Amino acid sequence: ISNFRALAQVEEEIRKEISTYRSAEVSPLDFAVKVRSIPGLAITSAAKMRHAIRTSISFDGKHEQTTRFDHTDSDVVSRNWSAAASLVDQLIAEKYSRIKENVFMDVPGTVVRKFLANYSMCDKQLNLTKEMLLTYIDGSASRMPFWNVAIVSSSRAERRVHLGGLSDIG
């Protein structure tokens, strides 16, 4: 199921990329289609890959988000809540400026990285792994030394919780 989902995502990425090229009115001679590899699966046969170029990716200009969670593992959930509460407590204690009550500005990337290092991401989330994200943050530290951190809450949530020093989080 995970491999099928990953293949469907790769197909969607290729279609979006081709659509972008179509809009730019370029031909296949002008570009090379990027195909994301999936751990444990070959993109195609080795003979067909002889002209392929391996490269690394960047999250610049992309909106990736976690959509899968290990919500049935109470240890993982507990550790993630603890990591989030620690992050919130640090943001409040160090008095980072706020745009709104739950949006902190100019947070050093090291603080964000520490949170993500302590947060457990679902192994089935193939397009956004912890290792990929931490590597990206490390590689872009000089370009993006400060971050904005938002604690997103739903006003329609039936259950309200405390998250570190913040209360009434939906």
Side-chain angles (χ1 to χ4, degrees):
I1 292 172
S2 294
N3 286 344
F4 181 82
R5 182 176 285 116
L7 286 171
Q9 287 175 332
V10 167
E11 180 190 12
E12 183 179 346
E13 291 166 4
I14 292 170
R15 288 182 186 278
K16 283 181 183 175
E17 190 171 347
I18 290 171
S19 176
T20 300
Y21 295 136
R22 184 181 304 135
S23 297
E25 297 181 355
V26 295
S27 78
L29 295 173
D30 301 320
F31 67 89
V33 175
K34 295 180 286 227
V35 179
R36 180 170 46 93
S37 63
I38 300 168
L41 293 178
I43 293 171
T44 189
S45 70
K48 293 176 186 173
M49 293 281 290
R50 68 179 178 270
H51 297 294
I53 300 169
R54 288 199 179 274
T55 186
S56 59
I57 63 161
S58 168
F59 290 110
D60 288 352
K62 294 191 177 188
H63 179 86
E64 296 288 349
Q65 62 182 348
T66 54
T67 56
R68 298 180 63 112
F69 300 93
D70 291 325
H71 63 281
T72 58
D73 186 333
S74 60
D75 290 337
V76 169
V77 172
S78 177
R79 284 193 310 270
N80 284 348
W81 273 107
S82 179
S86 294
L87 172 65
V88 167
D89 286 342
Q90 183 175 1
L91 296 174
I92 292 171
E94 296 184 15
K95 295 183 168 101
Y96 292 105
S97 59
R98 297 185 191 190
I99 300 170
K100 295 180 180 178
E101 182 182 353
N102 297 349
V103 182
F104 300 84
M105 294 176 46
D106 299 323
V107 177
T110 54
V111 173
V112 174
R113 190 194 192 290
K114 178 182 170 189
F115 162 71
L116 291 171
N118 291 326
Y119 185 87
S120 295
M121 294 175 71
C122 182
D123 293 338
K124 292 179 175 61
Q125 184 77 35
L126 298 177
N127 62 329
L128 186 65
T129 67
K130 181 192 288 194
E131 293 73 27
M132 292 166 73
L133 195 52
L134 293 176
T135 299
Y136 172 74
I137 289 172
D138 292 341
S140 57
S142 61
R143 271 186 314 112
M144 300 185 315
F146 299 99
W147 294 59
N148 292 340
V149 176
I151 311 303
V152 179
S153 175
S154 171
S155 60
R156 292 187 222 138
E158 294 176 15
R159 187 170 156 223
R160 312 307 274 177
V161 297
H162 292 280
L163 183 63
L166 293 177
S167 60
D168 201 32
I169 303 294

